[in-house]
Amino acid sequence: MTVPKSIATIGVAIMATWYSGRDPIVASCALSIAAGLSTYFLVPTLAPLFTQAGLRGKDVHRASQPIVPESLGLVAATVYIVSLFLFIPFVFYDWIAPSLDPFVSARNAHSFPHVKLGEFLSALLSLQSMTLLGFADDLFDIRWRSKLPLPLIASIPLLMVYYVSGGITWIAVPYPFRSLLGSSIDLGPLYYLYMSLVSVFCTNSINILAGVNGVEAAQSLIIALSLLINDLLYIGGPDYPASQVHLLSFYLLLPFVGVTLGLLWHNWCSVSLLVGDTYCYFAGMTFAVAGILGHFSKTLLLLFIPQIFNFVLSFPQIAHVVPCPRHRMPRLNGKTQLLEASTASLEDLSSLGKVILLFLERLGLVRLEKASSGSLTTTTNLTLLNLLLVRLGPMREDRLVQWIMAIQGLGSVLAFIIRYRLVSLFYDVIS
Amino acid sequence: MTVPKSIATIGVAIMATWYSGRDPIVASCALSIAAGLSTYFLVPTLAPLFTQAGLRGKDVHRASQPIVPESLGLVAATVYIVSLFLFIPFVFYDWIAPSLDPFVSARNAHSFPHVKLGEFLSALLSLQSMTLLGFADDLFDIRWRSKLPLPLIASIPLLMVYYVSGGITWIAVPYPFRSLLGSSIDLGPLYYLYMSLVSVFCTNSINILAGVNGVEAAQSLIIALSLLINDLLYIGGPDYPASQVHLLSFYLLLPFVGVTLGLLWHNWCSVSLLVGDTYCYFAGMTFAVAGILGHFSKTLLLLFIPQIFNFVLSFPQIAHVVPCPRHRMPRLNGKTQLLEASTASLEDLSSLGKVILLFLERLGLVRLEKASSGSLTTTTNLTLLNLLLVRLGPMREDRLVQWIMAIQGLGSVLAFIIRYRLVSLFYDVIS
């Protein structure tokens, strides 16, 4: 029975932290390791319950197309939320500790960092809402238009707390536009709309670059690690407020890396489970929350370069200018056991669609097939995964995931270059 | 399509509030009505999705035992949470409004009621956690011992905020014990443990007094209305802090009454749906949260007199001193179409069990059947529902639910008498 094992692991982490001085950073590290181990233990134990409950899907990237449990992201998300719940008292330990002495307690209650607690609570609330939405989506296949407003509502507590914590809503204007707009403009309520849209964007972009075992967790891992590196550039640095907000982001991301590793261990090009929309939404919202509360939403968007590229490439199909089949994931060639780019039939192609496809072919982004009459018959589907298979040829599933990880890593390097080097071409503020 | 209808309803509520001066009380009333209507619209629309997803159960209180969708409490809980998310900005409107003027904004940000926001966020967080747990329980049938620690963890944010908001942990000692303990004692950390246990108690006690269509929502409705009456005794009264905490409880309970009415409309002795553990956990946690943040957890427990009686009566079966069948709900007599008390066979009855059952028979709480040899053969199951059927004879399902509502109402009257009249026998503090 692995439930007691998981409880024991988390218990050991708390005890270890307690005896090492109750430092929140130590607590975060210990709880992240414990969360990773718990996810690792719990996923295979709970997987049969998911299958039983009807949460299952076909693994189409195996010749036998086995039925595997789906939505195992729920286990990772739940362990993550529980570990953050347990972490809260450590962050505020200095204010809780003297509670036995009423005088000290009263003094400390006055200096209590309410905004910090509000940030934690709203982060958890938004995260949990999106986990619930992702899980509901896995179960009920919620329609696109019903789904869209929910991340906006889920981000209300977060924006409320952002407002309370001083809520900077002005942005520096890049040099080329300063003659028009001045050196900075206050976006006011528009800035809050922008942050809401960041959460909509993040939750959906992991979901779109999906469809091969392990790719959701693998890309999220690289993004999370990049964000952690970015946080470490500020933590303990001379700019105290920046250090504090990046510390908060660090506390949110470290256990995320833990549970993602625990999940990825079982999901790595595996025949055993699917992570589901639950994981994609949970991962996306973790990034959005860390970015908003860490005040680095623009840097965050830079880390989504591969996802943005994937979205732009997909757009002609999403907008139905080019025919879009129900599933666009790569397909398995039964003979070679390698993945190949999936294709869409082009029977009812509009002339605009044709122009777009020919242009994309010129750029080397699709492979088209033409009838002897010269009209287009099929195109490879417009996703980054298929593009890799077009350019690099058929390959094994794990190879493809490794390529995505490499691209995501390169994207991070590019993002850091833009953020820390090229930014001086447009802005004089480096903070 | 009823999803747009629900969105429109909530939209109208927000607009109405906006034009009537953005008063939080008006907003709460308007959103509660909108939440009730949305639940009423959404439940039948979404019910088929639940059946499809495998969330279904047999309605054993109909002759045909139809398969009906289960866990529809999730719809009520989701609408409730969304309406509270939308409500948050109205509570803090006075602080948000002047945000266009940076000087006013800065001044107001300083006086922002952080504790109030923290209370809202933690209330929502704990509620949402329990909704997620209840839903997971419906889906996966989580084991009892795995379920138990989760409400404790779910209450951490709530306790954290209680601590921050001044966290009174002393209790007045009743007169008879004052010579021993003094006039008041500080329970310190034990008081937090007590509040955690209140949330465990509330979530489980609605779940135990269940098993007949409509009874979960009906009893919750009476409890919520009683708590609202209790809140109205303080709101606007001379004791400003008491008025404020009861206002918070009011804001939490009013939309709950809305969604419960919307759900009960379809669930009232109906063949169309089951509310599931999701609803029981959600309802119980709403009461626990209102009681803890409203600082009336002892009054709250008084309102659970019928549930406590039901639990005490059930205990010999729960502890397996008396044999306990898997289901103890009343059973339908196919001929008369009336509900009768269900029974348990007493083949392996321990001598302690026999003593208890004979004692309960003497009190008129069970009906026993004896073999010609004098040994006991069957007993009616030890629940309040079966007790009513034993004392009052077989009856229709809706009658039985009405009896439970009447008992719950009488329990509330008794609770108020204890709270506001008899309390002076034990305490000199009436607050």
Side-chain angles (χ1 to χ4, degrees), chain B residues 31 36 101 111 162 166 189 197 202 259 297 300 309 321 339 344 346 353 430:
Chain B
L31 278 171
D101 178 344
S111 70
Y162 184 86
L197 293 177
C202 291
V259 299
S297 57
L300 178 68
F309 174 80
V321 176
L339 293 185
L346 297 175
I430 301 188

Side-chain angles (χ1 to χ4, degrees), chain A residues 146-316:
Chain A
S146 310
K147 256 186 311 203
L148 204 66
L150 290 170
L152 293 177
I153 296 173
S155 62
I156 291 178
L158 209 58
L159 302 186
M160 194 72 219
V161 169
Y162 183 85
Y163 173 80
V164 171
S165 69
I168 299 158
T169 55
W170 58 265
I171 54 163
V173 175
Y175 286 134
F177 304 104
R178 291 216 174 158
S179 55
L180 272 170
L181 299 166
S183 66
S184 71
I185 49 170
D186 187 354
L187 291 181
L190 282 181
Y191 195 80
Y192 289 89
L193 183 65
Y194 155 73
M195 286 190 293
S196 273
L197 293 177
V198 165
S199 57
V200 176
F201 168 79
C202 291
T203 47
N204 285 301
S205 51
I206 305 281
N207 212 7
I208 285 184
L209 184 42
V212 166
N213 281 313
V215 77
E216 301 91 348
Q219 63 182 306
S220 303
L221 182 66
I222 303 289
I223 297 174
L225 289 174
S226 308
L227 288 173
L228 278 176
I229 292 170
N230 186 48
D231 288 334
L232 289 175
L233 296 178
Y234 295 89
I235 293 172
D239 182 351
Y240 184 74
S243 167
Q244 286 298 299
V245 293
H246 281 277
L247 195 59
L248 175 63
S249 158
F250 179 87
Y251 291 151
L252 291 171
L253 290 166
L254 201 61
F256 176 80
V257 169
V259 299
T260 297
L261 281 173
L263 186 63
L264 195 55
W265 186 274
H266 300 286
N267 185 226
W268 180 258
C269 308
S270 101
V271 286
S272 61
L273 62 93
L274 302 170
V275 297
D277 290 347
T278 316
Y279 180 80
C280 299
Y281 281 40
F282 154 62
M285 200 65 182
T286 306
F287 300 141
V289 164
I292 291 172
L293 294 180
H295 300 199
F296 55 82
S297 56
K298 278 163 292 181
T299 309
L300 178 67
L301 293 181
L302 286 178
L303 288 174
F304 278 89
I305 292 172
Q307 284 74 16
I308 293 171
F309 174 81
N310 184 58
F311 178 74
V312 172
L313 181 63
S314 295
F315 193 75

Side-chain angles (χ1 to χ4, degrees), chain A residues 1 3-4 7 46 49-50 52-55 74 78 81-82 85-86 88-89 92 95-100 105 108-109 112 114-115 117-122 124-129 131-132 135-136 139-141 143 145-146 149-150 153-158 160-161 163-166 186 188-189, chain B residues 1 3-4 7 46 49-50 52-55 74 78 81-82 85-86 88-89 92 95-100 105 108-109 112 114-115 117-122 124-129 131-132 135-136 139-141 143 145-146 149-150 153-158 160-161 163-166 186 188-189:
Chain A
M1 187 55 187
V3 174
I7 295 173
L46 300 179
L49 293 179
F50 281 70
Q52 253 174 359
L55 289 158
L74 183 66
T78 307
I81 291 167
V82 167
F85 269 46
L86 293 173
I88 292 177
F92 303 100
W95 289 270
I96 304 172
S99 68
L100 296 172
S105 166
N108 277 353
F112 189 87
H114 290 288
V115 171
L117 179 60
E119 286 174 341
F120 259 96
L121 296 177
S122 64
L124 276 166
L125 196 52
S126 296
L127 264 168
Q128 210 180 42
S129 304
T131 304
L132 199 57
F135 190 55
L139 258 181
F140 303 125
D141 274 324
R143 248 175 296 187
R145 59 173 181 187
S146 310
L150 290 170
I153 296 173
S155 62
I156 291 178
L158 209 58
M160 194 72 219
V161 169
Y163 173 80
V164 171
S165 69
D186 187 354
Chain B
M1 185 58 186
V3 173
I7 293 173
L46 300 180
L49 292 180
F50 282 70
Q52 253 173 358
L55 288 158
L74 183 67
T78 306
I81 290 167
V82 167
F85 269 47
L86 294 172
I88 292 178
F92 304 100
W95 289 270
I96 303 173
S99 68
L100 295 173
S105 165
N108 276 354
F112 189 88
H114 290 288
V115 170
L117 180 60
E119 285 174 340
F120 259 95
L121 296 176
S122 65
L124 276 166
L125 196 52
S126 296
L127 264 168
Q128 211 179 41
S129 303
T131 305
L132 200 57
F135 190 55
L139 257 181
F140 303 125
D141 275 325
R143 247 175 296 188
R145 61 175 179 185
S146 310
L150 290 170
I153 295 173
S155 62
I156 291 177
L158 209 58
M160 194 71 220
V161 169
Y163 173 79
V164 171
S165 68
D186 187 355

Side-chain angles (χ1 to χ4, degrees), chain B residues 25 53 111-112 132 136 197 203 209 212 220 237-238 338 349 360 363 365 387 406 425:
Chain B
I25 292 183
S111 70
F112 189 88
L132 200 57
L197 293 177
T203 46
L209 184 43
V212 167
S220 302
L338 297 177
L349 186 63
L360 290 174
L363 295 176
L365 299 176
L387 170 60
L425 300 180

